[in-house]
Amino acid sequence: MLKLENISKSFLYHFKRTKVLHDINMEINRGDFSVILGKSGSGKTTLLNIIAGMLKPSSGKMYFENKRLSNFDFFKSRFRRKNIGFVFQNFNLIDYLSVLDNIILPFKFTSHSPVNHKKYGINILKKVGLEGKEHFFPAMLSGGQLQRCAIARALINKPKLIIADEPTGNLDADTAGEINNIFIDLNKNDNITFLVVTHDKNIVTHANKAYELKKGVLKNYNSNDLLSMESV
Amino acid sequence: MNIDINKVKSIILKYLKLIFNAVVNPVRVFLMNTRRNALRGLLIGLGITIGVFSVIIATIFGDGVEKMAKSNVYSKIPATRIKIRGKIFSNPLNKFSGRKVHAQRNITWPFIKKHILSIKGVKSVVPIQKVTYPISAEFPILTMAMKMDVIANGLPTRLAYKYIFPEFRRMFNWRFQARGKLVPVLVSKFIITAFQQMSVSADAAVSINEQFFRATAANGYRGFRFKLFLGKSTFGVNLKNAEEREAVVVGFTDPDITSGISLPSRLVTRTKIKFQGRYIGYTFESAFIFIKDATHFNSVVTALQKLKRKYPAHFNLVLDREVKQYRNVSKMINSAAKTFKIPVIIFSLIILFLSCLIVFFAFLYIIKRREKEIGLYRFFGSSRIKVIILIVLEATYISLICAIIGYYLAQEFIVKYVPKNYSSFLKMLPAQVKSILSTFKMDTKKSFMSIFSFNSAKARLICIYAVLAGSLSAFIPAVIGAYRAILKSVNK
């Protein structure tokens, strides 16, 4: 489904070129629940940003369902946005819009959207467990609810793949568990593929594919070995 | 060929939806933004409202002062008219033969209607016919008959009326007298002075002056009467159908109208048709162009000169000393009146610039605060152009509403507030302005309101300028916002 070929990334900083990602090869199949682990500064977020289209890789190729994803190409990136959902670590909700307005925001910029935006948005909110909160503002919600809202926004375009950048990084253990359960349910029931960067032990046990990033080099890990990892 | 109607319907619906989304969604987003940030919009709008209001008031006052100055100066210049003549072509062979053969091309009414009446500032055109065929008169002066050939002009009522003596004004209807036996005639002052000189040299008992030609007890209040021959010359030609008429002097004309006599225009047209044919009968040897007011004098003369360049064979422009003088005066006054306006224009430009600056900095600040939001828009598939349109549309929306509010505030101020509270309004004005008003006698409420009136067309134009300026000044901040990298703005 998603295939990365020799993706590498380097930044120019103070006239010095520092390489962050070294020739990353990765393949994710449909229905997978894959996890990327790694220390901070190992290049996890950079990799996710490249997949999401917010960063341009220095070299390498990317395929989604055997289609080449070119970087920063408007027409192709529209295809990417339709098929890939993104969940931020710091939620990135707009303060002065209500929950419902926030989650149907992607519809305002796409041509493929259902006629009744609001009804569709309320249905998605039910799925995430934010029923009856559609007219609340982000300031009125707790951290877990904010993250649910962000997940609902990622789900609104019916994506085939959802990328999550440390979705439980800012949350306590209980709410993190709830969020993880939502991910697992969506993966099992709706057959949505997940690619998650996380430190959470619980979600690692549910993953069927796991990788570790160490100084920009991606390595495969078996799920059995995950518990003994340093980063966990 | 079978066409599945449902399929066609679905395709049409699909494309309609696409167009609808592309057009309506940006509008939806900016409406959403303005609804949620009412206070921000209000603060920006306040600047634009005040700007539009003060610019409208300033331009109204500037126009008023200009109008006041012009009307004051132009009241001292007499009403003016410009004369045009038909073109006379002399035969180039005249040089060798010693004869004077010339052809005349007269002015026609369709030409006047098409080209001259459409010039801006022309009030009316009075065409004048001249009888070039023999007309002679027999004046009974100093107990003898003075026989002479005269040049006769046809004058319309409009022009003739003011020259007729007051005692004859009720007696003769200038227009319909042409068919009667008695012909009313206006005599040029030129002829009268000639008679005066004659009487001096002849050492006459009766002194000839202007009083001599008027209705006095000496002629039994019947006026000065003489014989008029149409188609008969004293010295030369006698035509077949020559007419003899009795004529009365009913007034004196200015020498610039004619050096001979003036008859009712109908009579002249009739005689011309009779002796010269239908074609020449309906054309005019000269015409007076009356100008609306002296402000237009210069522009009308230049327009006529331009017309002359275009149609060199159609007419000749008579630019005598008086016309040239008036033209220079009107040029001078127009340029002087403009200087009244310059400070007002500068003032309004400064205000417009300041309100643009307010919008510019406000949007620069807003975009810094909304960086994350704009980044999210771009992340969810909005193009850069869409983001720019979104922000510019927001500025346009705000400035449009505020311009309308400013327009109505200015209208209320000029139309309702000032007439109601005129005395308190005068107190508000600075002393210099008051002194100017008093010197032009514009102190009273009535005279003030007659000149400082609300010009809705101009105010609307100012509103359009303000909206354009408001939306343009949000353009640069919008570009700055749209061209920031998504990753940087989202993670802020």
Side-chain angles (χ1 to χ4, degrees):
Chain A
M1 191 182 191
L2 181 75
K3 198 178 169 191
L4 307 185
E5 269 181 15
N6 300 327
I7 291 257
S8 58
K9 176 73 185 172
S10 56
F11 290 111
L12 196 68
Y13 186 70
H14 276 257
F15 305 105
K16 272 185 184 174
R17 194 168 280 282
T18 49
K19 210 163 187 183
V20 181
L21 296 175
H22 297 271
D23 296 340
I24 284 169
N25 292 304
M26 189 165 75
E27 197 169 351
I28 294 168
N29 297 322
R30 185 143 209 183
D32 276 358
F33 197 109
S34 29
V35 177
I36 299 176
L37 297 154
K39 281 180 184 176
S40 52
S42 56
K44 296 169 294 184
T45 310
T46 312
L47 181 61
L48 284 203
N49 285 338
I50 285 168
I51 295 168
M54 287 195 283
L55 268 181
K56 202 175 177 180
S58 304
S59 66
K61 286 173 187 173
M62 217 174 354
Y63 298 92
F64 188 84
E65 292 186 331
N66 300 327
K67 266 187 188 176
R68 175 83 192 276
L69 290 178
S70 70
N71 301 290
F72 285 81
D73 190 338
F74 176 69
F75 296 103
K76 288 280 174 63
S77 67
R78 184 175 273 183
F79 165 76
R80 184 185 346 228
R81 261 154 217 146
K82 194 184 170 188
N83 289 307
I84 302 175
F86 200 93
V87 179
F88 294 93
Q89 185 183 2
N90 49 356
F91 324 130
N92 275 341
L93 298 169
I94 297 167
D95 300 336
Y96 57 81
L97 295 185
S98 68
V99 168
L100 189 63
D101 283 342
N102 254 310
I103 70 160
I104 63 173
L105 190 66
F107 282 157
K108 309 282 184 193
F109 305 105
T110 47
S111 51
H112 54 273
S113 58
V115 176
N116 199 338
H117 291 182
K118 291 193 174 174
K119 214 172 181 180
Y120 187 78
I122 288 166
N123 278 337
I124 295 272
L125 280 178
K126 264 182 201 170
K127 211 182 262 180
V128 182
L130 275 180
E131 207 175 346
K133 305 249 177 189
E134 53 267 8
H135 298 299
F136 281 48
F137 283 89
M140 303 170 179
L141 301 179
S142 68
Q145 283 168 333
L146 284 175
Q147 193 56 285
R148 280 160 201 252
C149 184
I151 293 163
R153 192 177 58 188
L155 280 172
I156 202 95
N157 272 340
K158 294 183 190 172
K160 288 165 187 166
L161 171 70
I162 286 184
I163 313 168
D165 184 8
E166 298 191 35
T168 56
N170 288 355
L171 306 175
D172 60 286
D174 291 352
T175 44
E178 286 169 19
I179 296 294
N180 288 341
N181 286 335
I182 291 170
F183 281 158
I184 291 154
D185 282 352
L186 285 171
N187 185 31
K188 277 180 182 171
N189 301 333
D190 297 349
N191 199 24
I192 297 171
T193 318
F194 273 88
L195 175 60
V196 186
V197 167
T198 184
H199 298 283
D200 204 331
K201 277 181 187 178
N202 299 329
I203 202 159
V204 171
T205 53
H206 288 96
N208 53 1
K209 250 183 193 178
Y211 304 93
E212 195 202 357
L213 258 177
K214 232 175 190 180
K215 289 180 182 174
V217 182
L218 196 73
K219 289 175 182 173
N220 273 322
Y221 263 83
N222 291 324
S223 55
N224 299 330
D225 302 335
L226 286 170
L227 293 171
S228 61
M229 263 173 54
E230 285 174 33
S231 63
V232 178
Chain B
M1 208 175 103
N2 287 325
I3 299 169
D4 193 358
I5 294 169
N6 286 330
K7 209 175 181 182
V8 173
K9 256 188 191 174
S10 68
I11 291 166
I12 291 170
L13 271 175
K14 188 185 163 193
Y15 281 99
L16 277 178
K17 215 173 84 178
L18 271 173
I19 294 163
F20 180 81
N21 283 333
V23 174
V24 171
N25 283 342
V27 181
R28 271 186 189 159
V29 170
F30 92 79
L31 278 177
M32 203 163 71
N33 285 335
T34 40
R35 205 169 60 224
R36 296 285 180 225
N37 302 288
L39 190 71
R40 192 179 68 193
L42 200 79
L43 284 173
I44 299 165
L46 207 66
I48 297 168
T49 310
I50 293 166
V52 168
F53 173 76
S54 46
V55 167
I56 289 174
I57 297 283
T59 45
I60 283 168
F61 273 72
D63 285 354
V65 169
E66 193 192 350
K67 222 193 279 175
M68 197 167 73
K70 270 189 182 176
S71 66
N72 214 287
V73 177
Y74 279 119
S75 63
K76 282 159 194 163
I77 294 177
T80 46
R81 61 190 177 202
I82 300 163
K83 197 175 181 183
I84 54 170
R85 282 205 192 113
K87 187 115 181 167
I88 294 171
F89 302 95
S90 62
N91 194 336
L93 292 173
N94 285 353
K95 268 185 200 171
F96 310 108
S97 61
R99 290 186 301 168
K100 282 193 174 173
V101 178
H102 61 258
Q104 186 170 355
R105 181 167 186 169
N106 285 354
I107 305 160
T108 55
W109 183 248
F111 180 78
I112 291 172
K113 208 175 170 187
K114 196 180 174 190
H115 297 293
I116 295 172
L117 280 176
S118 59
I119 293 170
K120 199 188 165 191
V122 170
K123 195 168 132 198
S124 60
V125 178
V126 178
I128 290 166
Q129 285 182 318
K130 196 194 226 171
V131 186
T132 45
Y133 253 77
I135 286 188
S136 58
E138 199 180 300
F139 294 102
I141 291 171
L142 307 173
T143 65
M144 62 171 187
M146 293 266 307
K147 284 183 179 178
M148 58 195 291
D149 281 9
V150 287
I151 304 163
N153 258 358
L155 281 196
T157 321
R158 233 181 305 171
L159 207 64
Y161 186 76
K162 71 173 179 184
Y163 297 116
I164 300 174
F165 300 141
E167 62 261 28
F168 284 130
R169 268 182 200 167
R170 293 172 99 195
M171 209 185 287
F172 293 105
N173 188 333
W174 183 262
R175 198 168 167 197
F176 298 108
Q177 207 67 35
R179 282 190 185 279
K181 212 165 188 196
L182 197 65
V183 182
V185 169
L186 294 172
V187 183
S188 170
K189 277 177 185 167
F190 180 76
I191 289 180
I192 291 159
T193 47
F195 282 148
Q196 276 173 0
Q197 281 177 1
M198 255 168 57
S199 70
V200 168
S201 62
D203 201 14
V206 187
S207 65
I208 296 172
N209 50 17
E210 288 188 4
Q211 202 63 29
F212 180 79
F213 293 95
R214 296 187 76 143
T216 50
N219 52 34
Y221 299 104
R222 292 168 71 243
F224 180 80
R225 301 202 173 196
F226 62 95
K227 277 178 189 170
L228 189 72
F229 302 100
L230 305 173
K232 188 181 170 190
S233 167
T234 327
F235 309 110
V237 194
N238 276 314
L239 293 172
K240 251 186 191 176
N241 305 322
E243 286 178 41
E244 189 190 322
R245 295 280 193 100
E246 197 182 6
V248 189
V249 176
V250 292
F252 308 136
T253 52
D254 290 336
D256 72 322
I257 287 182
T258 176
S259 55
I261 59 171
S262 301
L263 304 173
S265 53
R266 280 198 170 192
L267 183 67
V268 172
T269 313
R270 227 152 54 75
T271 44
K272 271 176 88 93
I273 291 167
K274 194 174 175 184
F275 297 123
Q276 287 177 294
R278 286 189 81 77
Y279 175 70
I280 295 179
Y282 287 116
T283 56
F284 312 104
E285 274 75 11
S286 60
F288 280 113
I289 297 165
F290 286 86
I291 297 162
K292 266 178 196 162
D293 63 75
T295 48
H296 296 292
F297 198 91
N298 181 32
S299 63
V300 169
V301 172
T302 45
L304 282 173
Q305 280 176 340
K306 208 175 171 186
L307 197 68
K308 177 83 184 36
R309 251 174 270 139
K310 201 175 175 187
Y311 301 100
H314 281 64
F315 68 96
N316 259 340
L317 197 59
V318 183
L319 286 175
D320 52 6
R321 196 199 297 159
E322 214 175 22
V323 170
K324 277 176 186 168
Q325 200 181 324
Y326 285 148
R327 196 186 174 194
N328 284 338
V329 169
S330 87
K331 250 187 206 172
M332 256 163 56
I333 291 163
N334 278 347
S335 64
K338 261 178 201 167
T339 55
F340 277 106
K341 250 184 149 183
I342 286 168
V344 172
I345 289 167
I346 290 168
F347 173 69
S348 48
L349 275 178
I350 288 169
I351 290 174
L352 210 66
F353 176 72
L354 281 178
S355 51
C356 279
L357 220 64
I358 290 170
V359 174
F360 178 78
F361 281 110
F363 269 86
L364 212 63
Y365 175 69
I366 284 165
I367 268 141
K368 231 173 191 181
R369 285 197 61 182
R370 284 168 66 183
E371 211 180 315
K372 191 172 171 179
E373 181 195 328
I374 289 164
L376 278 174
Y377 288 169
R378 297 247 291 115
F379 183 74
F380 289 128
S382 163
S383 63
R384 282 183 173 126
I385 291 164
K386 258 186 190 170
V387 167
I388 292 168
I389 288 171
L390 214 73
I391 293 159
V392 171
L393 218 60
E394 208 175 307
T396 316
Y397 184 63
I398 291 167
S399 48
L400 185 71
I401 289 169
C402 296
I404 290 165
I405 292 168
Y407 174 89
Y408 280 105
L409 274 178
Q411 200 181 26
E412 287 288 300
F413 183 76
I414 292 290
V415 177
K416 282 188 182 169
Y417 175 80
V418 175
K420 250 185 191 175
N421 315 309
Y422 185 70
S423 55
S424 59
F425 170 72
L426 265 187
K427 277 175 199 166
M428 267 160 58
L429 294 173
Q432 292 155 333
V433 176
K434 261 189 231 169
S435 68
I436 291 170
L437 285 176
S438 62
T439 49
F440 285 117
K441 290 175 186 172
M442 287 290 154
D443 258 352
T444 58
K445 186 173 152 186
K446 202 178 175 185
S447 56
F448 183 84
M449 291 319 294
S450 67
I451 281 193
F452 293 92
S453 55
F454 186 75
N455 184 355
S456 57
K458 213 162 205 178
R460 246 174 266 151
L461 202 71
I462 289 164
C463 284
I464 290 165
Y465 282 143
V467 171
L468 276 178
S471 45
L472 274 179
S473 53
F475 182 74
I476 295 165
V479 170
I480 291 169
Y483 277 82
R484 194 156 282 182
I486 301 175
L487 189 66
K488 273 182 193 170
S489 44
V490 165
N491 286 338
K492 205 186 172 188

